[in-house]
Amino acid sequence: MNQVKIEESLFGKLPDKQIVKKYTMTNKNGFSVSLISYGASIQSVLTKDKAGKMVNIALGFETIEEYLSNPYIGSTIGRVSNRIARSRFELNGNVYHLEKNEGGNTLHGRPKGLAMKNWASAIVDNHVKFSYVSADGEGGFPGEVWFDAWFKLEENENTLSIEYKAITDKPTPVNMTNHFYFNLNGRDSTDRIYNHLIKINSDKYLELNTDNTVSGNCKQVDQSKYDLRDFTLLAERISIDADWPENGFDNYFLGNNNSSDLALSVLASVKNPSNGIMFELKSNQPGLYFYTGNFLDISTSHGSHFKKHHGFCLEAHNYPDSLNHKQFPNCILNPEKEYYHLTTLTFSIE
């Protein structure tokens, strides 16, 4: 008998009266993850610190109105994660023009992306399943796409598995991720992420243009602030570019897994020496985007203020803007194939 308890409740209602559901999964260790149907989002993650105290380490909100005002917090991202330069791409001889939401670019599939949708949801065996059908032409993308997001908690270890699946009736780009923000000090702590130690298993990162689109060039991390191959104190690396308007990390790192089938591998680990909480991220994706909340500035209804560097993101997904850089791995999903993305987050105490 599975010892993971899953509870369903009402989280809120959208302006059009749609009901937003909340699901709380709790395993035998007391480790708990809450999800909401709006954006198929992670709303909270409760785990024990070394003193045995339960700590919510996921940035999230208590009202649906806050999610409507602050997209991406814990949300499922798609159809295409990250930036598509100039909001355009060419596929099979056709040029597609997308809706813009960040200057001349398209970020995270907005303004009609998956993070802004209220997904159908249900408890299926020991999973929480979210589903959404994206219409042909939505956001400017071709093809109707059926998306599923599956969340599962292991009963004996504190591991959250996230599976994304998609099928389509026309060739179309798909590159999904989850945009969780974590602060291992706790969501409501006044301490930011500077005391965190991070390790990213990557020898290379992608060079950025001034608008944060990728240039197409891969650069070695050696002798740079991007060398995070051993556990590194974030305070030291973030302070290197303190005079830069966006000081911190906002970069894609290429995983060191050279397997052609992209088997599950460890991409990153983060730990907080202050309270002993740590977690390890594994994924079948070829790399991840590391973002240190450089523009966070949100006052919440529960009394916390998410300031700059209050949380970090580790977004496992395919290379950004691969649609416009043919040397990057292809993100085109064809009708005879299924898109499959698996990421696991395992929490422990050190």
Side-chain angles (χ1 to χ4, degrees), residues 73-138:
I73 304 292
S75 300
T76 293
I77 302 298
R79 294 184 183 190
V80 177
S81 304
N82 211 269
R83 295 169 179 86
I84 300 175
R86 304 181 305 283
S87 298
R88 66 176 299 281
F89 66 93
E90 184 175 345
L91 176 60
N92 296 335
N94 297 311
V95 177
Y96 294 91
H97 296 277
L98 309 174
E99 296 180 356
K100 302 174 182 178
N101 68 307
E102 190 189 59
N105 307 316
T106 299
L107 174 65
H108 292 330
R110 273 192 78 197
K112 295 182 179 178
L114 301 181
M116 274 65 71
K117 305 299 182 182
N118 191 32
W119 296 50
S121 57
I123 299 170
V124 181
D125 297 325
N126 57 344
H127 294 74
V128 176
K129 178 187 179 183
F130 298 101
S131 300
Y132 176 73
V133 180
S134 179
D136 186 3
E138 187 171 68

Side-chain angles (χ1 to χ4, degrees), residues 259-297:
S259 172
S260 59
D261 62 356
L262 291 177
L264 202 66
S265 64
V266 178
L267 293 180
S269 304
V270 185
K271 57 185 178 182
N272 179 2
S274 300
N275 61 13
I277 295 175
M278 73 172 296
F279 86 98
E280 179 181 79
L281 184 151
K282 295 181 180 179
S283 185
N284 67 349
Q285 296 300 292
L288 56 73
Y289 210 89
F290 178 37
Y291 176 57
T292 48
N294 307 328
F295 296 108
L296 280 175
D297 186 11

Side-chain angles (χ1 to χ4, degrees), residues 42 158-162 177-180 182 198-201 231 253 255 263-271 278-290 312-317 341-348:
I42 297 174
N158 298 340
T159 296
L160 172 67
S161 297
I162 306 170
T177 195
N178 185 274
H179 206 294
F180 63 77
F182 287 165
I198 187 164
K199 179 181 179 181
I200 297 179
N201 298 320
F231 278 107
F253 290 82
L264 202 66
S265 64
V266 178
L267 293 180
S269 304
V270 185
K271 57 185 178 182
M278 73 172 296
F279 86 98
E280 179 181 79
L281 184 151
K282 295 181 180 179
S283 185
N284 67 349
Q285 296 300 292
L288 56 73
Y289 210 89
F290 178 37
F312 66 89
C313 308
L314 289 168
E315 308 159 43
H317 58 70
H341 169 142
L342 172 62
T343 291
T344 65
L345 308 175
T346 299
F347 294 81
S348 59

Side-chain angles (χ1 to χ4, degrees), residues 27-301:
N27 72 5
K28 61 188 297 185
N29 303 321
F31 179 69
S32 177
V33 175
S34 291
L35 313 162
I36 62 170
S37 59
Y38 185 78
S41 304
I42 297 174
Q43 191 249 351
S44 70
V45 176
L46 276 76
T47 189
K48 290 180 181 178
D49 66 10
K50 62 185 179 183
K53 176 185 175 184
M54 296 300 294
V55 180
N56 178 11
I57 56 91
L59 274 59
F61 306 112
E62 301 301 324
T63 69
I64 187 58
E65 290 77 16
E66 290 171 287
Y67 280 97
L68 294 174
S69 301
N70 301 283
Y72 310 145
I73 304 292
S75 300
T76 293
I77 302 298
R79 294 184 183 190
V80 177
S81 304
N82 211 269
R83 295 169 179 86
I84 300 175
R86 304 181 305 283
S87 298
R88 66 176 299 281
F89 66 93
E90 184 175 345
L91 176 60
N92 296 335
N94 297 311
V95 177
Y96 294 91
H97 296 277
L98 309 174
E99 296 180 356
K100 302 174 182 178
N101 68 307
E102 190 189 59
N105 307 316
T106 299
L107 174 65
H108 292 330
R110 273 192 78 197
K112 295 182 179 178
L114 301 181
M116 274 65 71
K117 305 299 182 182
N118 191 32
W119 296 50
S121 57
I123 299 170
V124 181
D125 297 325
N126 57 344
H127 294 74
V128 176
K129 178 187 179 183
F130 298 101
S131 300
Y132 176 73
V133 180
S134 179
D136 186 3
E138 187 171 68
F141 292 99
E144 187 171 70
V145 183
W146 293 261
F147 291 102
D148 287 332
W150 296 79
F151 293 81
K152 178 186 177 184
L153 212 60
E154 297 297 327
E155 58 179 312
N156 294 314
E157 64 175 10
N158 298 340
T159 296
L160 172 67
S161 297
I162 306 170
E163 290 181 285
Y164 292 129
K165 301 179 181 180
I167 56 174
T168 183
D169 61 354
K170 294 180 184 178
T172 193
V174 174
N175 186 14
M176 302 173 71
T177 195
N178 185 274
H179 206 294
F180 63 77
Y181 280 88
F182 287 165
N183 181 333
L184 302 187
N185 296 302
R187 179 193 73 170
D188 300 327
S189 173
T190 56
D191 293 325
R192 305 189 212 186
I193 59 175
Y194 303 129
N195 64 339
H196 291 27
L197 299 172
I198 187 164
K199 179 181 179 181
I200 297 179
N201 298 320
S202 172
D203 298 328
K204 298 178 181 179
Y205 68 100
L206 294 184
E207 181 183 62
L208 294 177
N209 297 314
T210 55
D211 63 355
N212 277 357
T213 57
V214 294
S215 70
N217 297 323
C218 299
K219 306 202 64 164
Q220 296 287 335
V221 301
D222 301 85
Q223 298 182 330
S224 76
K225 83 166 197 173
Y226 304 101
D227 189 351
L228 303 172
R229 290 172 292 187
D230 293 316
F231 278 107
T232 304
L233 184 65
L234 273 179
E236 295 176 355
R237 293 301 169 90
I238 288 177
S239 65
I240 290 175
D241 53 13
D243 296 329
W244 183 42
E246 189 190 357
N247 79 293
F249 288 90
D250 196 348
N251 304 94
Y252 186 83
F253 290 82
L254 284 59
N256 287 339
N257 181 6
N258 296 317
S259 172
S260 59
D261 62 356
L262 291 177
L264 202 66
S265 64
V266 178
L267 293 180
S269 304
V270 185
K271 57 185 178 182
N272 179 2
S274 300
N275 61 13
I277 295 175
M278 73 172 296
F279 86 98
E280 179 181 79
L281 184 151
K282 295 181 180 179
S283 185
N284 67 349
Q285 296 300 292
L288 56 73
Y289 210 89
F290 178 37
Y291 176 57
T292 48
N294 307 328
F295 296 108
L296 280 175
D297 186 11
I298 304 170
S299 294
T300 69
S301 65

